[in-house]
Structures are given as C-alpha cells and as structure tokens.
Amino acid sequence: MDRKWLQTYREEIEAFSGKIGEFQEGKIAKKDYKGYSGGMGSYAQRDQTKHMLRLRIPGGRLSAERLKFLAETVEKYGVRRLKLTTCETVQLHDLPAEQVPAIMEEAIACGIICRGGGGDNPRNVMCSPLSGVQEGEAFDPTPYAEAVTEYLLSICRDIHMPRKLKIAFSNGVDDSVHSAFRDMGFQARRDGTFSLRIAGGLGASGQRMGVLVDEHVQPREVLYYVKAMVDTFCRHGNYENRAKARTRFMQDTLGPDGLKEAFLRNVADLKARGGLEIRSLEALADVCGGGGTLDHPRAIRQKQPGLYAVEYHPIGGVLPAEKPAELYAAIEGLCNAECRVGPDETLYVINLPAAQAEEVLAVTEDGAETEFEHSVACIGATVCQQGVRDSQGLLQAAVRAVREAGIPDGALPRICVSGCPSSCAAHQAGAIGFQGCVKPVDGKPRPAFKIFLGGSGALGAARFGEAGPAILEEDVPALLVELGRAASAAGQGWAQWSEAHAGERDAIIAKYA
C-alpha cells in the first residue's frame, strides 16, 4: 500500500486504540463495538476482557519475515493461543485490550494489514496453499490473489457493502479454498485463463453453489470482475435484513440467470471505462535449487526438482505458541522457504531441500497422524461470542476416543465441526459435518451437534451434505468410534463403506439421535 494509505491506516489504529479502551471501560455497548472493531480485524471474545486479532495474510503466505514477526510477537506479548483459520489467516487470542492496536501497528512492517479482517468488508483473499509449487497445477494464481488484495484494500474505505465478500483462487488442481461456493471463486485453467463462479456461500440461512458466469477470464482483467461484483452486491444486496445480506441471496432475488446478466453488464461497463488492467505484478522470488530425496507421508514433492513441502496439521488448527519460533529457526536463511496457511487449518512449509525438510518434519511431529486427525474445527463457544457449542472441546474428545479405540487410519474421514450455524468450519462440505445446536431432552435443553453427511469440496465434485439428526455432544465421540469400527470390520475405508453400507451407517447414527 502507498504511503498515504498507510498513514490513514495508522490514524485508524490510533482511533481504534481509543475505542477499545472505551469498550473496556464500559462506555461502548458490545453490539456497537463489534460493528466498529470488525473492520479493524478484531473482536472481543466471550470473556470481554480478552480480544482476538486476525492477521490478514493474502493467499495464506506466511513468509519467513512474517513468520519471524509472529514468533517475536508471541514472545513479546506472551500470546498463548494461536488459531489457523479456514480463511487462511492467523488469529491471536486472549489479548488484553492495549496489546491489540500495538500489534496492528507493528505488523505493518512485514506487510500484514489487519484492516478489513472482519465486519462488512472484503475478507482475506484466499489461494490454493501450494500454488506455485504443486505438481499438476494449471498455473500459479498467487500474484493475482495478491493484486486483488491490494485493490480491495485501496477501495475498502470507499464502499459500503451489505455484508462481507470472500474471494478465492484455485490453482486448478486443488480446490480446498472452495472456489465452487465462495462469493467469487476463480479457478485456473490450462489455457491460462480463469473460470469464475459467483454468489456461492454457506451459512445459517442456507447454502448455494456459485453461479458460473465466465469460463475464460483473462488473468490481467480480474480487477474488472472484482469491482463488478462489489457494484452488483451494493446495487442488489439486502441492506435491510442481515440474515439475507450475503451475495448468495441474490440468486433468489434476481435468479441465477438474472444475476449473471447483471454482473456481466457491470463487467462490460467497467471494461469500457478502462483503467483496471493489471499491468505489472509483484513477481514471486525464483525458487532456488534443491537437493536430496525424501520419502515421508508428510513430505510433498514439489514441481521444482529436489524441493519438498512439509505438511503440518495441529489438531483443531490450534498452533502451539512455541511453534512459530521453532519453524522460523528451521527455515531461517533458506532460499525462499516460507509457510502457507491452508483453508483446512493445515500449515505447509515450502521450498525445502530434503535435508531441511527432515528438520521441519522433526519440528512438527506433534501434528495430526491420521486422516481423521486432520479434522477442522472453529475456535468454538468458549472463546467466540457467536458460538453455541465448544467445537474445539468436541474435536479433542473425539480424537482421544478414536485413538483409544484403535480405529485404523482411513476408517473415518476428516470431520468439520462448526460451533454454530455460521459455518466457519464449512461443515456442510465435510464427509461428516457437525453444527452446534441445542437438543431438548425431557423438556430441558442439552448441548448437541446436528450431523451432516456426504459433503465434499473436491475439485469438480463439490456438493453439500444432507442434514441429519442432532446428537448430544457427550455422545458424538462414541458415535464416531462405532462408525469407525464398522468400516474397519468391513475392511473398507470411510468413503467406500459409507456408500456401500448406508443403511448400517444410518442405523448406527439413529441409535444416538
């Protein structure tokens, strides 16, 4: 961002420092404060003396410089809880009020801008986490994701949208960013263009797949499409009812064809005016040569010969406080090594020669060991004001139960656990998903989770799962163990068993309903 923009941002941080102080003194109501703080990427937690700060990281790129900043921030401010998010950001939790603006200011030096991290703003622009290094990708969309980020930040003060806007770029081989059902989903094609779907999304009021509006977007013209989406949303979005104020509801008010027509008309109008072509890109540094060979289930061979990416999935996406410093020590001085935050709460360390990859593997031995342990969970109701259920507590209990039962790898899929209907863990797109709720038992409300079955975010095969019954929170681990045992007894993995034995699967679930 240019100097003038950053000066205004610093003034906003100074003003926010006063607001957060007034909130702590009880001079600002919780609802009013949330409306202000969200635009700065921060929210008060359920314990309102503590705060969360969301570090906006375009494309999930946690460069060595940013990783060093994170490690130093954890040490300097005594941060003990870090959360990798499904929008490829890092959240710092349990912060005293005075630390939040200080960290915001210090983050600027390494290119981390928290502005627009929450509230009714364009959110963190996502990108396939292994873009640029993944074998088989159509092309690397990272520079375009970063260009879109720069553009959105440049206009974020000038627009007033009904709600947030989420944009994702897929590299054409991995769609963990869920480009099929984002507000805007760009998917790289082998002919060097993007296909584009718009107005998809998840949430309490229903979910929608995106509408395919263009199959050959020229990469240097993506800003025309982004601005057209902002204009379409501002013109046709619902400003009266927040429950209906997401882009996906324009499919209802305009119809998919009407939405496509209105959107493409805005694109054409903008192109006629000109001025939004991406004329230069900030080139990514050349990847240095690698060396050695490595065979490990968490080591991913890159398309660059002799280089590897290491996958690390902390359980529930909760990153141990000491981990940023350990990872930085392992990659310090390596040519263009960096971390990438994935939308499934997995951290990837890329551009590693074999010897250094082995060092990173050793540092990350505490992560997930099975497909099930790669499950996704939001931060949950013990921290989040919006939360209904403790999604992190449920996942931890389930992991313990599955380990103790000796369920073999593959018998259970990764699950997606959202603590409330807001769908932060994309539970509708999980093979098994859980949504926090309340279940009446003998006339009394009990903590529970509604189960969803059969969702997928796979490239070209995205679908939403079917909602099932509510299961008492205390029964979910036992349910998962019984399902895993049944698949294992049949000698099958989850996907095969669930399809071939749907009746048995549903009967097991019914026992706990």
Side-chain angles (χ1 to χ4, degrees), residues 86 88 126-131 134 136-138 141 167-182 184-188 194-197 209-210 342-344 348 414 426 429 456-464:
T86 53
E88 300 185 330
M126 301 170 65
C127 196
S128 297
L130 292 176
S131 290
Q134 191 167 16
E137 68 178 356
I167 300 176
F169 285 81
S170 164
N171 65 4
V173 69
D174 164 65
D175 199 28
S176 58
V177 294
H178 296 153
S179 69
F181 48 88
R182 293 291 180 185
M184 298 191 79
F186 292 90
Q187 186 180 123
F194 290 111
S195 64
L196 172 61
R197 292 181 179 273
M209 288 291 171
D344 60 352
Y348 297 89
R414 59 183 70 186
S456 172
L459 182 70
R463 62 180 181 273
F464 299 128

Side-chain angles (χ1 to χ4, degrees), residues 124-126 148 152 165-169 182-184 186 226:
N124 192 53
V125 178
M126 301 170 65
V148 168
L152 288 172
L165 187 74
K166 294 185 176 182
I167 300 176
F169 285 81
R182 293 291 180 185
D183 296 297
M184 298 191 79
F186 292 90
V226 170

Side-chain angles (χ1 to χ4, degrees), residues 6-69:
L6 288 174
Q7 178 57 39
T8 301
Y9 177 50
R10 288 191 163 97
E11 292 168 0
E12 290 172 330
I13 293 174
E14 185 176 352
F16 176 67
S17 181
K19 290 284 187 181
I20 196 171
E22 290 178 12
F23 174 72
Q24 290 302 114
E25 294 170 7
K27 296 178 180 178
I28 301 178
K30 179 173 68 175
K31 181 179 179 181
D32 295 335
Y33 175 71
K34 180 182 177 183
Y36 185 86
S37 69
M40 298 298 290
S42 178
Y43 290 106
Q45 297 182 177
R46 186 166 290 272
D47 175 353
Q48 295 180 36
T49 66
K50 298 176 181 178
H51 297 260
M52 176 275 284
L53 178 61
R54 183 173 294 148
L55 302 179
R56 210 171 190 268
I57 307 171
R61 288 192 65 206
L62 196 57
S63 64
E65 180 186 19
R66 291 171 177 171
L67 183 62
K68 181 182 181 183
F69 162 77

